[in-house]
Amino acid sequence: MASAMAGIEALKGTHQQLKAKMESTVEDFRGHLLSARTGRANVHMLDQIKVDYYGTDTPVAQMGQVSTPEPTLILVQPYDVGMVSAIEKAIRTSGTGLNPMTDGKVIRVPVPPMTEERRKDVVKQLNKTLEDHKTAIRNIRRDGNDQIKKAAKDKLISADDEKRANEEVQQLTDVEIKRVEDLFKTKEKEIMTV
């Protein structure tokens, strides 16, 4: 879709900037969905878990090789064997319901089959994440509308241009919110299917 805002000198970069921020929010939500438990082992289930690595919160995937040798097992082979207990503790205390075991060199994370109650909890948790991301998109819209209002106040754009630009920002917001809602519905169906 051609941007009306791109033709207005005072708002040239605003549309691209808003679109980039909203797309970044959608991608962040997609990352949360990948890490959600579905009953099958998935290397992305550990993506949101951070380990204190010498004072820096580091994702588990950067701490070692993460693989799924079986449908119900995640295997973590740390690059630094000294971090085995820290990674194990981070996974155990992450609130994901996973209970890792270690032999001193590798960490085995069995993924138990999900109960109906656990499935509903995961969907409820994802719904909260969905609402947070929709709020973030709306906040980006608000910032864009503030930029447009400021340009109008400074007499850089006409009232008609302001109205068109606000409508365009709302359309962009609606499209991005629909994207995250569609992603959520797909994941919800995947989680609730036994």
Side-chain angles (χ1 to χ4, degrees), residues 102-114:
T102 181
D103 64 6
K105 292 187 175 123
V106 296
I107 302 157
R108 287 176 177 73
V109 186
V111 180
M114 291 177 64

Side-chain angles (χ1 to χ4, degrees), residues 3 32-34 39-41 45 58 69-71 73 80-81 86 95 97 101 120 123 149 151 167 187:
S3 169
H32 280 277
L33 291 180
L34 282 173
R40 284 184 62 95
M45 290 170 69
T58 309
E70 300 170 25
L73 181 70
D80 180 355
V81 181
M101 299 174 288
K120 288 178 181 171
V123 169
K149 196 181 297 178
E167 287 171 359
K187 188 66 170 189

Side-chain angles (χ1 to χ4, degrees), residues 132-189:
D132 292 344
H133 283 78
K134 284 166 57 173
T135 300
I137 291 170
R138 289 185 194 110
N139 287 342
I140 295 166
R141 174 191 61 195
R142 183 198 60 218
D143 295 344
N145 286 341
D146 289 348
Q147 288 177 359
I148 294 165
K149 196 181 297 178
K150 184 180 182 324
K153 186 177 168 223
D154 294 344
K155 303 276 190 255
L156 299 172
I157 61 174
S158 68
D160 286 346
D161 287 342
E162 178 183 10
K163 186 175 187 302
R164 272 194 299 274
N166 281 329
E167 287 171 359
E168 191 173 323
V169 169
Q170 184 60 49
Q171 285 176 345
L172 182 63
T173 304
D174 293 343
V175 166
E176 298 302 329
I177 284 180
K178 182 169 178 8
R179 275 180 62 197
V180 291
E181 286 174 341
D182 290 347
L183 287 168
F184 171 76
K185 285 176 188 165
T186 304
K187 188 66 170 189
E188 179 183 30
K189 186 177 177 191

Side-chain angles (χ1 to χ4, degrees), residues 29-68:
F29 183 65
R30 184 174 277 131
H32 280 277
L33 291 180
L34 282 173
S35 66
R37 246 181 95 183
T38 58
R40 284 184 62 95
N42 178 346
V43 294
H44 296 292
M45 290 170 69
L46 305 180
D47 284 356
Q48 304 298 324
I49 301 173
K50 306 273 193 271
V51 181
D52 182 25
Y53 186 63
Y54 301 111
T56 305
D57 282 347
T58 309
V60 171
Q62 293 179 15
M63 302 285 298
Q65 174 92 30
V66 181
S67 61
T68 53

